[in-house]
Amino acid sequence: MLLSAKSRKTFALVCVLFLLMAFLYYGLVLLTVALLETDSDDEPLCKGSDTVHELTNWDYLQALISNAAEVPGLLVMFLLLDWVGRRVTLSVSFALCGGATAFLLIPRMPSAVQCCFVFLARAFALSFNQSLWVYTTEVFPTKVRATALGFGTCFARIGGGVAPFMVSQVLFDSSEAVKMIILATCVGTALVSAVLSLLLPLETNSHYLTETTLPEPAPAS
């Protein structure tokens, strides 16, 4: 049923979105500390290393603030899901996350301003993360729901596995160009995901969960 003519497009898009979602979400989580560490002006902790620095109390505070962003991110998702629908919430969250991450490309940004943009990126990252899980459990019928979610999770593990290798380049390569390339990759991933979200053929808002078939598209108004 997942590969039937009616559901294969939705299934393929959901799998790709899970991969991109996990890559972007875990990439931003790891970049939170990586950006703080590489922006530190302290002496390196390890002799012979020019990339490992001791984190200050302010660095730890920034990390706490950026991680706390997931709370308002969850609230934003909760409010938007029923107001504008699942697909729009997913797309807007990806787009706003990419926009906030794009500002991190500005060189020599004050740490307080950088913390604000990391906060926004992390908030919208959790928003698209949870929105995708909600959409996936609603769009597929009970007969194949667990299978579809399992495939999506497999693709998410691939994206989540690639993210640490990407972020490690920020820690082990002190060049500004590498950091810019990785941040630009995150921005591009977010924007591509925003477009793909709008290509999902079905909106599940206000639809009942089905047993054996996908929900019918809402009639044109």
Side-chain angles (χ1 to χ4, degrees):
M1 181 179 288
L2 286 176
L3 298 180
S4 65
K6 187 177 180 180
S7 61
R8 67 167 65 103
K9 180 180 178 181
T10 301
F11 177 60
L13 284 172
V14 164
C15 288
V16 172
L17 283 170
F18 261 101
L19 188 152
L20 297 178
M21 174 274 291
F23 172 79
L24 185 58
Y25 176 79
Y26 291 110
L28 288 173
V29 169
L30 296 171
L31 274 172
T32 298
V33 176
L35 289 174
L36 296 177
E37 200 278 333
T38 55
D39 287 340
S40 175
D41 294 326
D42 296 334
E43 291 298 320
L45 289 176
C46 303
K47 294 182 179 180
S49 170
D50 59 354
T51 59
V52 181
H53 299 270
E54 183 176 7
L55 296 176
T56 65
N57 290 336
W58 170 238
D59 292 330
Y60 283 112
L61 179 60
Q62 289 184 84
L64 175 63
I65 293 172
S66 61
N67 281 282
E70 297 199 346
V71 176
L74 193 62
L75 294 177
V76 167
M77 179 218 57
F78 177 77
L79 295 173
L80 289 180
L81 279 179
D82 291 331
W83 182 31
V84 298
R86 276 57 165 160
R87 289 185 304 175
V88 174
T89 299
L90 192 56
S91 180
V92 168
S93 297
F94 271 119
L96 292 177
C97 177
T101 307
F103 280 99
L104 298 176
L105 291 166
I106 300 174
R108 297 182 177 82
M109 179 183 294
S111 60
V113 178
Q114 176 180 271
C115 183
C116 291
F117 285 119
V118 171
F119 181 93
L120 291 173
R122 288 289 303 276
F124 292 117
L126 187 74
S127 179
F128 65 63
N129 183 320
Q130 298 303 304
S131 298
L132 184 57
W133 283 92
V134 171
Y135 179 84
T136 304
T137 55
E138 291 179 344
V139 73
F140 293 104
T142 302
K143 187 174 181 180
V144 295
R145 185 174 298 126
T147 303
L149 199 58
F151 270 102
T153 302
C154 288
F155 278 86
R157 298 288 76 81
I158 296 173
V162 173
F165 292 99
M166 175 192 70
V167 177
S168 66
Q169 302 307 308
V170 177
L171 292 171
F172 297 115
D173 193 319
S174 58
S175 69
E176 190 73 12
V178 171
K179 185 172 84 171
M180 294 297 104
I181 290 173
I182 292 175
L183 286 172
T185 301
C186 289
V187 173
T189 301
L191 297 181
V192 169
S193 300
V195 174
L196 292 178
S197 300
L198 294 177
L199 295 179
L200 290 167
L202 297 172
E203 172 56 62
T204 61
N205 192 18
S206 301
H207 278 285
Y208 291 106
L209 296 180
T210 59
E211 293 292 330
T212 59
T213 61
L214 268 68
E216 293 296 329
S221 55

